[in-house]
Amino acid sequence: MIPITVMVSGQGTTSFKIKGKYGKGNPSVFSDVFRPVISWNITKRCNLKCLHCYINAVTESSNDLTTEEALNVVEEMKKINIPLVIMSGGEPLIREDFFIISEYASSIGLKLALSTNGTLITSRIASKLHDLGFVYVGISLDSPIEKWHDSFRGVKGAYKMTINGIKNAINSGLSVGLRLTVTRFNVNDVKSYIDLALDLGISRITFYHLSSAGRAQSLKNWYITPEQYFNFMDYLIEVSKKYTGKIEIETTMSPFDGIYVAHKIARNTEEFIELLNVVKAQGGCGRKIISIFPDGSVHPCQFVDFITLGNVKYESLKNILNNSKESLKQFIDPLLTGPKCSRCPFRNICNGGDRIRAYYLNGSITADDPQCFLNVEEIRNKWNIEYLE
């Protein structure tokens, strides 16, 4: 995550509640490589048919962990003191034993968040989530335009159900954030989207740059253009200043966003470097976060389906992490061979952007991320920096 609001103003809403206060001169130490945040895809089933679904969710039964196996995973997480467990899917609330698993996790002291499409959040479910102490509920809403959202999510009526779920969650006292997947076809609606979020009482928005795993492989003409990228980022900086303390703005799947923000807002070289250190400390795929898939397989993050670190059905989570140093090195300290990334003075800050897009769109995990539009020479010359460790 690139915490634009924190970088711009030093203030946060939801992220400070979850991680504690961090910022310039005080980078986040909430998680680390071998005590990562876990995105737990507890089921492959889903009630929607999203065009970009990274896990290729299904509507019928899938090879999910059993209740007993899931409870064993919860115990493994507690043993290594996982700082945050994000319950995800598919659609996690579709699992009949969702609350059995969540109640046990909560009872042994794990911090829980929920990643959901929001369509199944009734008032009763929202109250149960609140009672279990879920620190955050992230709900996917991809447009302020009903027809667009329904089309992207593959089910007519999804927008209305999601808006209803958002209202139920907020009314129950939960901390609710929205997630929007940014494409060239909805990025120009971001202003209306933020207005809608403010009207709903949302405390956080995370903008996901489109990845390329799963069904997103068929959306190769959906990526934003350079002009859209710079307009989008400049607007997010402006909004972060305007609504400091009211709503928190973040992006993800493009850590070079943080380099751009630092370049735009820093007043001197010292502040520029401090801001870059905030970016570097956020981690990313395979760096301070991993994912457990529905079948128990462990991956560097939820978008990496081409590298498997192990399987919690057959091995402890602790052993899997301890034995994954070489595999995770591709994300923690990647070899970058692309003509832009390999020569970039900031490659150690963003680690080459999104390795998933590099893999699927440019043919190699070491290639350039084609979504990086930064003018590296301009940034280098302004701050007189050759290379940052």
Side-chain angles (χ1 to χ4, degrees):
M1 297 287 185
I2 300 303
I4 297 178
T5 297
V6 173
M7 292 178 70
V8 166
S9 68
Q11 299 299 313
T13 58
T14 301
S15 70
F16 282 10
K17 291 178 184 176
I18 296 173
K19 300 179 179 181
K21 191 169 183 179
Y22 65 95
K24 287 186 299 183
N26 182 33
S28 175
V29 292
F30 178 68
S31 58
D32 60 43
V33 173
F34 299 105
R35 194 179 65 87
V37 169
I38 291 185
S39 175
W40 189 8
N41 300 88
I42 64 171
T43 183
K44 198 173 180 179
R45 287 185 292 155
C46 189
N47 59 329
L48 300 184
K49 302 173 183 177
C50 305
L51 298 183
H52 65 311
C53 181
Y54 61 81
I55 207 166
N56 281 309
V58 295
T59 55
E60 302 300 328
S61 60
S62 61
N63 185 29
D64 298 343
L65 295 175
T66 66
T67 303
E68 182 180 1
E69 288 169 335
L71 294 176
N72 287 337
V73 172
V74 169
E75 292 182 355
E76 289 285 335
M77 293 177 184
K78 180 61 179 177
K79 285 178 184 177
I80 55 178
N81 197 27
I82 293 300
L84 179 69
V85 181
I86 304 169
M87 308 287 274
S88 187
E91 171 48 52
L93 292 174
I94 214 166
R95 259 192 88 132
E96 294 81 0
D97 59 358
F98 173 84
F99 282 108
I100 294 174
I101 299 167
S102 299
E103 285 170 7
Y104 183 57
S106 177
S107 73
I108 62 174
L110 286 172
K111 186 180 287 187
L112 300 176
L114 178 67
S115 176
T116 173
N117 61 42
T119 61
L120 303 179
I121 302 180
T122 62
S123 295
R124 182 183 65 83
I125 285 177
S127 294
K128 290 185 74 171
L129 293 170
H130 180 269
D131 291 346
L132 285 174
F134 272 76
V135 295
Y136 177 68
V137 176
I139 299 178
S140 296
L141 184 71
D142 289 296
S143 176
I145 301 168
E146 180 176 351
K147 185 177 180 180
W148 201 98
H149 177 83
D150 285 358
S151 176
F152 193 58
R153 292 281 160 175
V155 172
K156 189 175 182 180
Y159 180 89
K160 283 187 173 70
M161 290 188 288
T162 296
I163 292 292
N164 190 54
I166 291 168
K167 291 177 179 177
N168 287 334
I170 290 174
N171 290 339
S172 74
L174 287 161
S175 178
V176 180
L178 298 185
R179 293 96 50 88
L180 178 145
T181 299
V182 181
T183 76
R184 69 170 58 191
F185 303 114
N186 66 350
V187 69
N188 293 333
D189 297 319
V190 166
K191 183 180 186 304
S192 298
Y193 186 86
I194 290 174
D195 289 342
L196 173 62
L198 289 165
D199 288 343
L200 289 169
I202 295 299
S203 60
R204 180 196 208 187
I205 303 175
T206 303
F207 293 96
Y208 279 69
H209 288 273
L210 182 64
S211 189
S212 47
R215 292 181 201 144
Q217 291 179 52
S218 66
L219 304 180
K220 291 182 179 179
N221 67 331
W222 285 58
Y223 293 95
I224 58 176
T225 66
E227 181 182 7
Q228 287 177 323
Y229 175 81
F230 291 115
N231 289 338
F232 170 63
M233 290 303 301
D234 288 343
Y235 182 65
L236 293 190
I237 292 170
E238 177 188 329
V239 166
S240 295
K241 293 176 181 176
K242 184 176 181 180
Y243 296 114
T244 295
K246 190 167 187 179
I247 195 166
E248 187 172 10
I249 304 295
E250 298 180 330
T251 66
T252 192
M253 303 302 293
S254 290
F256 42 76
D257 289 356
I259 299 171
Y260 182 76
V261 173
H263 172 60
K264 294 290 286 189
I265 70 172
R267 292 163 294 188
N268 51 56
T269 302
E270 182 182 3
E271 184 177 26
F272 178 64
I273 292 173
E274 284 184 337
L275 287 166
L276 291 184
N277 286 333
V278 173
V279 175
K280 185 176 181 179
Q282 292 302 299
C285 189
R287 309 187 304 274
K288 302 189 177 185
I289 186 170
I290 63 163
S291 181
I292 301 174
F293 275 30
D295 63 355
S297 58
V298 181
H299 299 261
C301 74
Q302 65 269 42
F303 300 98
V304 176
D305 52 6
F306 51 88
I307 296 174
T308 301
L309 306 176
N311 193 301
V312 292
K313 282 185 178 182
Y314 315 115
E315 189 177 4
S316 73
L317 183 58
K318 182 178 181 179
N319 285 345
I320 291 171
L321 287 172
N322 286 339
N323 294 331
S324 297
K325 294 179 181 179
E326 195 59 36
S327 295
L328 292 177
K329 187 177 180 181
Q330 301 171 86
F331 302 91
I332 299 165
D333 184 22
L335 170 67
L336 300 172
T337 61
K340 183 172 184 177
C341 287
S342 63
R343 295 194 293 266
C344 179
F346 310 108
R347 60 188 178 273
N348 194 42
I349 303 299
C350 80
N351 288 303
D354 181 31
R355 296 294 85 207
I356 299 94
R357 283 193 298 263
Y359 179 83
Y360 280 113
L361 300 180
N362 275 340
S364 169
I365 197 170
T366 69
D368 287 345
D369 178 351
Q371 279 288 278
C372 178
F373 301 123
L374 298 185
N375 186 330
V376 174
E377 287 306 309
E378 176 188 310
I379 301 173
R380 183 208 303 264
N381 292 337
K382 178 177 179 179
W383 302 107
N384 194 27
I385 288 172
E386 288 304 312
Y387 177 68
L388 279 173
E389 292 291 344

